[in-house]
Amino acid sequence: PLNSLTANSTENADAWLMLGDVRRGIGDEAGAQTAYARGAQLAPEYARLKRPTAAKESAQAAPKSEAAPVQF
């Protein structure tokens, strides 16, 4: 899970940015912003890339009843 990865590998920018994507995808905007901020500290050039938006992700996602549970 990403929470374990970011806790054990605090300098892994990819993990922080992926955690932000996942949190945004489940509607945790505050958690997403926190994770994105840490990712941006670690890799500012990568963090400037456009991240998916919750609205765009939800339009493409499967219905909630069919979606797999998210583990952190």
Side-chain angles (χ1 to χ4, degrees):
L2 287 172
N3 276 341
S4 296
L5 182 59
T6 55
N8 295 322
S9 183
T10 59
E11 302 300 310
N12 187 331
D14 287 328
W16 285 103
L17 294 170
M18 284 188 284
L19 181 60
D21 292 344
V22 170
R23 287 187 171 167
R24 177 171 276 171
I26 63 170
D28 179 8
E29 194 63 33
Q33 291 304 315
T34 298
Y36 288 147
R38 180 64 180 141
Q41 289 174 335
L42 297 170
E45 69 287 347
Y46 180 69
R48 282 192 289 269
L49 297 175
K50 185 175 173 114
R51 309 305 303 164
T53 64
K56 182 178 178 183
E57 291 297 314
S58 64
Q60 296 173 351
K64 295 262 186 219
S65 61
E66 296 177 23
V70 176
Q71 291 184 333
F72 287 105

